[in-house]
Amino acid sequence: SCDSTSWLRTKDGGITWDTTSTLFGRNDFQGFRIVDMYDENKGVMCTIFHTIITTDGFDTWDTIPPFGPPEDFFIMSVDIISENQITLLTRDLDGSPTFNWIFYKSFDFGKTWKEYPHPKYRVPAKHKFVDSLIGYEIGSVRTGIGNTKRDMIFKTTDGGESWFNVLDSMIEGGLNFGLIDLDFYDRENGIVVGNDGKIYWTHDGGKSWIYDPTLRNLSLYGPATQYVCMLTQRTAVICTMEGKIYRGVSGISFVKTYDPVENNSRVHIDGP
């Protein structure tokens, strides 16, 4: 997905790419920023306020009406968790103290939606489901001291009907801009990263979390970690906003595997 009203698509493993543009106005849709595919046909793509879905690999697509009046709800995250189930995390921008976090789920691939209760914390960032029942969500709460925040991880075991906190921690010694991305290999093994080099591993389904200081030790605040992907039960790849890619093993360390000449704005890795 692109930060314009277009997206890129490959059908040969990345050798060639084609570009598709929509008629959406940039002022209304702010460009596409989230994409998730269930398989080569079913997928969903989001701008800040709107969502489109496809069942033919984005040869054609349907637009889902905004969740509320235009520019009232900010789409934070989307995840396809089964062939027909899509989940959306949104935030109300009316300025209320809780921002009215709303978690939506569709059981018919976007035709209808059901709203679920949601933990009220200040800055939800992203969510991901391991299967139709087990899911995790990351965010942060301001401490009131500068930009420092408490890192928060929530978990659901009933498909999003209820959530409970499994991590509430703050790493001292630098600016904390919150947690940014997460990925899980299976129900037990996962990783969460923050954009100042923070890394948390779990190998028991979120019961305990191991803090990994590898990237934060590289500089005062650590690199701006942005995206993460689990490759095996203990191996992951992290991409940074500077275009660098690090590969690491839980309990050992991360090493830089890619350092481009020019900075990349977004990198998405899915699969081994």
Side-chain angles (χ1 to χ4, degrees), residues 83-110:
E83 184 176 4
N84 293 308
Q85 295 185 56
I86 309 175
T87 58
L88 271 170
L89 173 65
T90 69
R91 187 180 78 182
D92 189 345
L93 296 183
D94 66 358
S96 65
T98 61
F99 286 125
N100 298 327
W101 317 123
I102 302 175
F103 176 79
Y104 289 98
K105 180 186 285 188
S106 174
F107 295 90
D108 51 16
F109 208 72

Side-chain angles (χ1 to χ4, degrees), residues 248-267:
V249 180
S250 176
I252 302 179
S253 64
F254 276 84
V255 295
K256 185 166 58 178
T257 60
Y258 177 67
D259 190 357
V261 176
E262 296 182 358
N263 291 345
N264 294 320
S265 60
R266 290 191 178 187
V267 181

Side-chain angles (χ1 to χ4, degrees), residues 7-267:
W7 60 84
L8 303 175
R9 179 178 62 176
T10 180
K11 293 185 176 182
D12 54 16
I15 298 175
T16 61
W17 295 80
D18 61 76
T19 303
T20 300
S21 298
T22 72
L23 299 177
F24 302 150
R26 184 178 176 88
N27 291 336
D28 295 330
F29 284 76
Q30 302 298 315
F32 290 101
R33 50 191 296 275
I34 305 171
V35 61
D36 192 31
M37 301 294 295
Y38 176 74
D39 53 25
E40 64 182 12
N41 293 312
K42 286 191 170 184
V44 58
M45 201 177 305
C46 300
T47 70
I48 292 178
F49 302 114
H50 299 78
T51 303
I52 62 174
I53 58 175
T54 184
T55 56
D56 57 12
F58 283 104
D59 285 333
T60 61
W61 59 89
D62 294 316
T63 302
I64 298 174
F67 294 94
E71 301 188 6
D72 274 2
F73 282 81
F74 188 100
I75 298 174
M76 303 295 297
S77 180
V78 63
D79 190 25
I80 303 176
I81 63 177
S82 70
E83 184 176 4
N84 293 308
Q85 295 185 56
I86 309 175
T87 58
L88 271 170
L89 173 65
T90 69
R91 187 180 78 182
D92 189 345
L93 296 183
D94 66 358
S96 65
T98 61
F99 286 125
N100 298 327
W101 317 123
I102 302 175
F103 176 79
Y104 289 98
K105 180 186 285 188
S106 174
F107 295 90
D108 51 16
F109 208 72
K111 295 179 181 179
T112 60
W113 295 85
K114 181 178 179 181
E115 179 182 333
Y116 286 85
H118 190 273
K120 291 180 173 59
Y121 55 96
R122 294 296 294 177
V123 188
K126 201 167 187 180
H127 77 288
K128 186 175 185 63
F129 276 81
V130 182
D131 52 38
S132 60
L133 294 177
I134 306 296
Y136 294 84
E137 193 172 286
I138 58 176
S140 303
V141 176
R142 290 187 179 276
T143 63
I145 305 174
N147 283 325
T148 59
K149 301 174 182 176
R150 300 201 325 265
D151 300 327
M152 308 286 285
I153 303 177
F154 285 82
K155 180 179 180 179
T156 181
T157 57
D158 54 16
E161 293 190 27
S162 61
W163 298 81
F164 55 93
N165 183 258
V166 292
L167 177 73
D168 184 349
S169 177
M170 185 179 73
I171 304 302
E172 301 288 349
L175 295 177
N176 182 345
F177 294 99
L179 300 177
I180 298 299
D181 199 17
L182 73 165
D183 195 26
F184 276 76
Y185 182 79
D186 52 29
R187 282 192 169 194
E188 300 297 317
N189 300 280
I191 186 172
V192 172
V193 299
N195 72 347
D196 60 344
K198 294 192 305 299
I199 304 169
Y200 298 93
W201 297 87
T202 183
H203 300 296
D204 55 11
K207 295 178 182 178
S208 61
W209 295 87
I210 304 168
Y211 174 66
D212 185 338
T214 304
L215 295 189
R216 287 199 103 215
N217 290 340
L218 296 178
S219 61
L220 179 61
Y221 301 128
T225 50
Q226 190 77 355
Y227 299 99
V228 64
C229 177
M230 290 284 288
L231 303 180
T232 70
Q233 292 180 338
R234 300 183 69 85
T235 306
V237 168
I238 293 177
C239 304
T240 72
M241 293 187 69
E242 295 82 10
K244 297 179 173 62
I245 298 176
Y246 296 84
R247 182 186 179 104
V249 180
S250 176
I252 302 179
S253 64
F254 276 84
V255 295
K256 185 166 58 178
T257 60
Y258 177 67
D259 190 357
V261 176
E262 296 182 358
N263 291 345
N264 294 320
S265 60
R266 290 191 178 187
V267 181

